[in-house]
Amino acid sequence: GDRSYRRGLVVFPEGQAPHFGTLWQLFCYFDQEESGHLKKEDFERLLRGRLQAPDDGLLESSWWDAGGESNGSVNFARFAPWAEAFPLGLPVGLDLTGESRPCRCQVHSNAEPDFFCNCTDYTSIEDSILCQCGHKASMHRSEASQGSFANLVQQAAWASEGLVEVTEEDTLQSLQEMLDDTHKATDNWTRDRGCSIHGVNGTGCSLACAFKNQVAVPKGYTLRKVYRNQNRSVWARYCIARSFIAKECARPPAAERREVAPETELLDSGGLAPLDEACNEWRLFHGTTHEAARDICSANFRPTLAGSGATWKAAGDERGAPLYGLGVYFAEKSTKADEYAAPFLDAEWGLEVNAMLVVRCVGGRTNAVTTNDIEPESLRRTIFDGPNHSVLGDRVSSLRKPYREVVIYDRDQCFPEFLLIYERYY
């Protein structure tokens, strides 16, 4: 369980091999670069270490089944359910936010009675990884960590599955206040809002034309309907991603706390764990079409679609060039997310309305970018091959642009929590 217990850092005498008590320990041992992602060669080494002479066909099919081929790597949120189904026969080994972590230290001896530590929760000694009971942090694991991925799916106490309409007045009022508090009243137009003559990406429309003929920005938004996304599978993957990123953020030096969208922090989570500041968990906005919003709630985001929506595109191009590369883009202001929301007719209200998602995101160790010196592929490498988990595109502090954005490159770090149906007013 120690950070240095990784392939290439430890040496075993001939005839001995590493021992793993959990899937998390197994994953970390072969994640030599501490990136949170296994490349194909690391994944194959892991399988060869656990199985007796696996053939190339099994290695290849396992890589595909764990999502490696489609994503280019395998994170722990995808490794855990694959390993359980395979099966590799180990508990998950991750703690959920807020759970107590009793000490699991046991000593068995032929000469003396067996020892079982009775510590009920990890309490650290200052400047040490040891608990006050005298045993290290990795010996303290919650009940969830001792179970399976399937057990994690049941942690959300929902009576039904899928999109469920919210009727609680307190929650509806809180979400309306979130829209109000995150609305930007001035300096709020960007080219993605569009041109009043040519629309967004209209033929013959230049940036100068769009800037001169700006589409009016709504003065605010009125909620008409809200759905809570009760998707246990997507939630479980998110919980695992949040847990392993929280562990990585706790390593010294601890991750810097970034204040993003503070207006959304206090929303009632409906029985789910509150936002975890230690791993920069935020609640953000994502505007899209009504149909796409429902698809996202069902199967989560697809980062490869970045730039295909209402983003500014060069003439004749089907896809724009996302500023920070292919990822999922989130806004801390409802006004920014609304730029990408496509109107549709709501038959019940007889009104033209829009769709916006409220999404929980794990920012982790975020890479704050404050200049125009942006190399998208380099940013992605810091996520998949380096220490970062997200990008905070801060175009406000130095460049004096209207908005900041958060970019997540691994969809398991996102959980679409609410689908908002709202009306613009001018």
Side-chain angles (χ1 to χ4, degrees):
D2 293 334
R3 182 179 180 183
S4 58
Y5 194 73
R6 294 177 184 271
R7 183 180 177 277
L9 297 181
V10 291
V11 179
F12 297 92
E14 187 175 351
Q16 294 188 14
H19 173 76
F20 307 105
T22 67
L23 291 175
W24 174 247
Q25 292 175 0
L26 175 64
F27 183 91
C28 287
Y29 180 81
F30 288 94
D31 178 19
Q32 292 176 259
E33 298 174 346
E34 297 185 272
S35 68
H37 298 83
L38 294 181
K39 297 178 181 177
K40 189 173 185 179
E41 55 267 31
D42 299 322
F43 183 82
E44 290 181 349
R45 288 191 187 104
L46 182 152
L47 273 187
R48 288 193 177 97
R50 293 293 296 177
L51 306 177
Q52 293 293 325
D55 60 43
D56 290 344
L58 178 60
L59 294 175
E60 188 67 19
S61 63
S62 297
W63 173 249
W64 279 75
D65 291 345
E69 190 65 25
S70 58
N71 295 288
S73 63
V74 175
N75 66 12
F76 189 75
R78 297 196 170 273
F79 173 75
W82 169 83
E84 180 178 317
F86 187 78
L88 292 184
L90 293 172
V92 174
L94 281 181
D95 304 294
L96 293 178
T97 301
E99 281 204 317
S100 60
R101 297 164 54 197
C103 186
R104 305 290 175 176
C105 181
Q106 303 178 15
V107 179
H108 302 281
S109 171
N110 293 327
E112 299 178 8
D114 292 347
F115 169 80
F116 298 88
C117 184
N118 61 5
C119 173
T120 58
D121 199 3
Y122 176 73
T123 305
S124 63
I125 299 174
E126 188 175 358
D127 298 325
S128 172
I129 64 169
L130 296 179
C131 174
Q132 291 183 359
C133 71
H135 302 124
K136 59 187 178 182
S138 60
M139 295 299 298
H140 294 74
R141 298 190 291 272
S142 67
E143 289 301 319
S145 76
Q146 298 298 100
S148 65
F149 172 79
N151 291 338
L152 287 178
V153 178
Q154 303 306 317
Q155 294 294 323
W158 293 320
S160 58
E161 181 84 6
L163 286 171
V164 177
E165 186 173 355
V166 174
T167 57
E168 300 88 351
E169 286 299 326
D170 289 348
T171 303
L172 294 172
Q173 180 62 33
S174 294
L175 287 165
Q176 179 63 65
E177 290 173 359
M178 273 176 47
L179 288 179
D180 297 341
D181 294 343
T182 58
H183 178 266
K184 197 170 190 291
T186 60
D187 186 26
N188 56 11
W189 181 91
T190 78
R191 66 182 185 179
D192 286 346
R193 176 70 64 178
C195 171
S196 59
I197 298 175
H198 303 98
V200 180
N201 302 312
T203 303
C205 185
S206 64
L207 176 57
C209 176
F211 188 81
K212 180 181 178 181
N213 303 287
Q214 298 178 10
V215 168
V217 178
K219 292 182 179 179
Y221 313 105
T222 302
L223 270 183
R224 293 302 181 187
K225 194 177 293 185
V226 176
Y227 297 90
R228 177 180 281 111
N229 185 25
Q230 299 183 174
N231 187 321
R232 287 187 173 86
S233 178
V234 175
W235 171 247
R237 289 186 191 278
Y238 178 79
C239 287
I240 293 178
R242 181 179 57 183
S243 294
F244 78 70
I245 289 175
K247 278 184 175 287
E248 293 177 349
C249 287
R251 294 169 180 160
E256 181 181 354
R257 167 79 172 112
R258 299 279 187 177
E259 186 174 74
V260 175
E263 303 92 341
T264 69
E265 292 177 357
L266 299 180
L267 178 68
D268 182 4
S269 297
L272 302 181
L275 299 181
D276 186 352
E277 294 184 358
C279 64
N280 281 320
E281 185 181 11
W282 307 308
R283 189 176 275 114
L284 302 167
F285 299 102
H286 183 86
T288 185
T289 68
H290 183 225
E291 181 181 6
R294 286 183 167 273
D295 288 343
I296 290 167
C297 289
S298 175
N300 216 337
F301 290 92
R302 294 168 61 188
T304 55
L305 294 181
S308 61
T311 307
W312 183 273
K313 304 174 181 67
D317 289 351
E318 294 183 0
R319 183 187 294 266
L323 189 60
Y324 303 101
L326 295 179
V328 187
Y329 286 64
F330 297 100
E332 60 178 348
K333 298 295 184 182
S334 57
T335 323
K336 176 62 176 172
D338 175 63
E339 291 182 350
Y340 310 99
F344 68 99
L345 182 65
D346 184 282
E348 179 181 346
W349 292 89
L351 296 170
E352 186 176 79
V353 292
N354 301 271
M356 184 185 300
L357 293 169
V358 176
V359 184
R360 292 171 74 127
C361 301
V362 185
R365 294 185 185 272
T366 191
N367 183 3
V369 179
T370 60
T371 70
N372 277 327
D373 185 16
I374 301 167
E375 211 295 295
E377 191 53 39
S378 176
L379 291 177
R380 281 180 59 84
R381 284 197 297 271
T382 71
I383 306 298
F384 292 104
D385 300 327
N388 297 119
H389 303 105
S390 65
V391 166
L392 172 59
D394 180 1
R395 300 178 63 74
V396 176
S397 59
S398 297
L399 300 174
R400 300 295 184 258
K401 300 292 184 179
Y403 301 106
R404 301 194 304 177
E405 296 179 280
V406 170
V407 188
I408 302 290
Y409 299 86
D410 186 334
R411 67 178 183 171
D412 293 321
Q413 291 172 227
C414 315
F415 177 70
E417 189 175 16
F418 293 99
L419 168 55
L420 311 183
I421 306 299
Y422 65 96
E423 182 183 3
R424 296 166 173 162
Y425 64 85
Y426 296 87

